[in-house]
Amino acid sequence: METRNVPDYFGELLFDDRQMRSRLSSKVYASLRRTIDRGEKIDSMVAESVAQAMKEWALEKGATHYTHWFQPLTGVTAEKHDSFIAPSPDGSVIMEFSGKELIQGEPDASSFPTGGIRATFEARGYTAWDPTSYAFIKDKTLCIPTAFCSYGGEALDKKTPLLRSMEALNRQALRILALFGNTSAKHVSTSVGPEQEYFLITKEMYDQRPDLRFTGRTLFGARAPKGQEMDDHYFGVIKPRVQAFMNDLNEELWKLGVLAKTEHNEVAPAQHELAPIYSTTNLATDQNQLMMEIMQKVASRHGLVCLLHEKPFAGVNGSGKHNNWSIATDTGVNLLSPGETPYENAQFLLFLCAVIKAVDDYQDLLRLSVATAGNDHRLGANEAPPAIISVFLGDELSAILEAIEKDVPYNGTEKKTIRLGVDVLPAFPRDNTDRNRTSPFAFTGNKFEFRSLGSSNSIACANIMLNAAVAESLKIYADRLEGSADFEKDLHEMIRKTISDHKRILFNGNGYDDAWVKEATEVRGLCNYRTTPDCMPHLLDPKNVEMLTSQKVFTKKEMESRVEIMLENYCKTVRIEANTMLDMAHRQILPAITDYAAKLSGTVAAKKGVNPDLACAYETSSVSRLSVLADQISARCEELEKAILKLEGAADIIEESVAIKDTVLPKMAEVRAAADEAETLVSAECWPFPSYGDLLFSVR
Ligand code: ADP
Ligand code: MG
């Protein structure tokens, strides 16, 4: 087979800027660019031309269908394919695609979750083209990234509020830049580089585990003799089969214009990571969804299964996603990068303070933006950041902020007090201590890394909250500074006050330390929402509704529907897990235990037949213990069933989710404990599914 160089095929399945420029008239191209870069409305003539160019390009690439590709609140992407064909009078077909079809679609969307927004008689939902994310071809289908909303205009997806949050941040950031005399920047947007963790196991093993197939995680499984304790997997040599998968994956992603960059083995056996180069948040979000889908597809071609669940295996690290986030102008200036002039530095510090204030004021929103049943297993379990949100700045920057707050000399090289807008800040190099993996929200030199996201999560939710909260800080700053008679003085004072008001959120220490939990909650008054039911209802706290509606990111109705949907997802997820558990216990585990015990008892009888005086201590003690465990499993399953039945009495979804957390999940843990002990006593041959050792060490 011919080998092609990456630059030759990079983005060949993407209708990107290169295609737009070469296939559109310069007038249409310029107009489309204004829509993409500055959010200007697109007119129908332009849409028509774009549709024709897109169609021609797609047909050249062999596409037969098109689809509006969207992200309903199920958390995955959705698509409904239409072919381009239209009948022609002579009996043949022509390939058709209009501007109208590009701009708007109307999938029969009655089965997507809406949290009560759409009355059932009004099943229609609309999809609307998002020109800021490039169309692409997947499986002979032209995929057009779209937003999804109801007949009444309410967002039914994750893209719409994400775009709104980016717009909110743009509006407020431009006000701040104007105050610093920057009028050349016309647009400010956020960028994200999401680092994606995942597991690879063989398809053969996967197929034998109902828990993996139905829930994405193992509900049973005794620890393997070896786990991650040797740290020999992290950054270790990549096994040939995994490397073949990664090569194939990179190629698929590169064709789609995804800048897949870094790949390495992670901490747990069979765990890996893939990071793309960062891009605009909206694009990064779409591409991350696409990346997750393609990972699974490519894995299957290699006889593997890619597990994206946050906690597929107990006792070894789960998978997350690091959301590297920054704010930049259309002129290419990263606003979270310390500058070289006094003004640049003051501006940097103001944006930094806006983030600090945002994270402190809206800890709850950041926490709930990453909350799912799967991610609850990680946060606070000493492998991912704790459920308590805090900001890591590193020693150097912390010392600078402290000096500003206290108005004392900064102990850098020059030892003088820092007057913002007047003095040049001492250069502060990227802090090495940013390897502090325990911080949920760490400054890493010119960006923040939000590390609490779950591996299967869409990154949209986290970025919606982050953008909106920062927009709110910037709005408060702009409101105050725009009328200021002494800009420098007021700016300095505002930065000082932000540090002093919000320093409780700053923490450079070990987030896994029990002392931190105590200090954070008891002394600093930070939120510690351990689980999804604990945090989700806080979306509707008055301060959050006020902020998100005034920033025009959500309507109150949309927020109410989202609480409903997120909690419904949580309840459904755990219910499926509980049912799978019961099924496996009754139909696989208990029969295996009794069969094996019968086998041992048979051995005892046979041995005693030979010599009645033989003790048969091993067999008899095993049978006794297995019998106790089988009774425990059976009794606990019965209790679990009762706990599930009792859920029917819950008054609403909040009550149901709390009952699931307090009664169903603990009971599941009890069933598992007994079954996992039994696994260690039953012969490998008799155990009904592959062990942790098989699963974690099977890919070579
Ligand atoms: P690490 O976190 O392992 O040190 P890097 O910091 O190099 O790795 O990058 C991690 C991710 O952060 C990558 O996806 C990278 O593209 C992204 N990134 C780098 N700079 C920025 C930025 N200014 N804004 C957003 N993401 C960024
Ligand atoms: Mg990182």
Side-chain angles (χ1 to χ4, degrees), residues 12 24 53 68 74 109 171 175 227 253 311 381 388 406 436 532 594 599 610-611 619 631 644 673 682 687:
E12 72 177 11
L24 298 170
H68 278 194
T74 52
R171 268 195 305 270
R175 289 175 69 193
L253 291 172
K311 193 72 182 173
I388 303 165
K406 304 223 165 86
N436 178 346
T532 303
T594 42
K599 211 165 154 184
V610 173
N611 177 355
E619 291 88 347
D631 289 349
I644 296 170
V682 172
W687 199 249

Side-chain angles (χ1 to χ4, degrees), residues 59-275:
L59 294 181
E60 281 168 28
K61 299 279 174 198
T64 54
H65 287 67
Y66 68 91
T67 179
H68 278 194
W69 186 77
F70 58 105
Q71 296 164 36
L73 295 166
T74 52
V76 292
T77 54
E79 41 197 79
K80 176 190 158 217
H81 298 188
D82 278 301
S83 75
F84 289 114
I85 64 164
S88 167
D90 65 359
S92 65
V93 291
I94 51 167
M95 301 303 252
E96 258 185 16
F97 185 54
S98 69
K100 200 169 149 278
E101 285 161 319
L102 167 65
I103 288 185
Q104 197 176 76
E106 196 183 320
D108 173 19
S110 47
S111 297
F112 289 112
T114 66
I117 272 190
R118 221 171 30 201
T120 36
F121 61 83
E122 181 48 90
R124 273 183 298 176
Y126 289 93
T127 52
W129 179 36
D130 166 20
T132 63
S133 182
Y134 300 132
F136 55 90
I137 292 174
K138 180 168 66 81
D139 301 327
K140 291 191 163 199
T141 299
L142 170 67
C143 298
I144 301 153
T146 51
F148 179 43
C149 56
S150 76
Y151 185 66
E154 283 102 355
L156 296 174
D157 68 349
K158 302 193 178 193
K159 183 189 273 283
T160 307
L162 180 66
L163 291 172
R164 291 178 189 157
S165 75
M166 292 171 72
E167 190 39 42
L169 194 127
N170 170 50
R171 268 195 305 270
Q172 303 306 333
L174 284 177
R175 289 175 69 193
I176 297 287
L177 291 182
L179 287 168
F180 281 89
N182 180 342
T183 49
S184 54
K186 295 281 176 277
H187 197 90
V188 171
S189 57
T190 54
S191 302
V192 168
E195 300 167 62
Q196 175 75 50
E197 292 180 337
Y198 61 96
F199 281 84
L200 282 180
I201 61 170
T202 65
K203 176 142 190 344
E204 190 193 338
M205 302 280 169
Y206 173 89
D207 284 340
Q208 297 174 58
R209 301 267 330 197
D211 45 4
L212 285 176
R213 283 190 285 124
F214 296 135
T215 74
R217 74 178 179 108
T218 53
L219 300 168
F220 296 102
R223 305 288 148 90
K226 181 181 174 190
Q228 63 191 43
E229 53 282 274
M230 302 290 284
D231 285 328
D232 52 354
H233 192 256
Y234 190 54
F235 281 24
V237 177
I238 298 172
K239 300 194 175 87
R241 195 164 168 195
V242 175
Q243 189 63 62
F245 158 82
M246 287 177 171
N247 293 347
D248 207 2
L249 174 64
N250 284 335
E251 195 175 317
E252 293 255 335
L253 291 172
W254 289 335
K255 280 187 199 163
L256 283 161
V258 179
L259 290 156
K261 172 83 173 164
T262 314
E263 56 193 25
H264 61 79
N265 287 347
E266 259 299 331
V267 173
Q271 192 184 29
H272 314 280
E273 180 184 295
L274 175 62

Side-chain angles (χ1 to χ4, degrees), residues 357-368 465 468-469 472 476 504 527 529 535 537-551 556 559:
K357 176 175 162 55
V359 177
D360 189 25
D361 287 342
Y362 299 102
Q363 300 159 43
D364 45 358
L365 290 183
L366 291 179
R367 170 64 186 90
L368 67 88
M465 296 310 177
E472 180 71 10
I476 292 169
R504 66 170 186 162
C527 308
Y529 299 129
C535 65
H538 289 285
L539 180 59
L540 295 172
D541 286 358
K543 77 167 177 68
N544 295 333
V545 174
E546 170 62 28
M547 188 277 279
L548 288 165
T549 55
S550 75
Q551 288 298 337
K556 177 140 192 252
M559 293 172 74

Side-chain angles (χ1 to χ4, degrees), residues 175 475-484 490 494 497:
R175 289 175 69 193
K475 177 188 177 289
I476 292 169
Y477 291 169
D479 285 350
R480 240 178 263 165
L481 290 174
E482 275 169 355
S484 162
D490 288 349
M494 213 160 57
K497 186 166 174 349

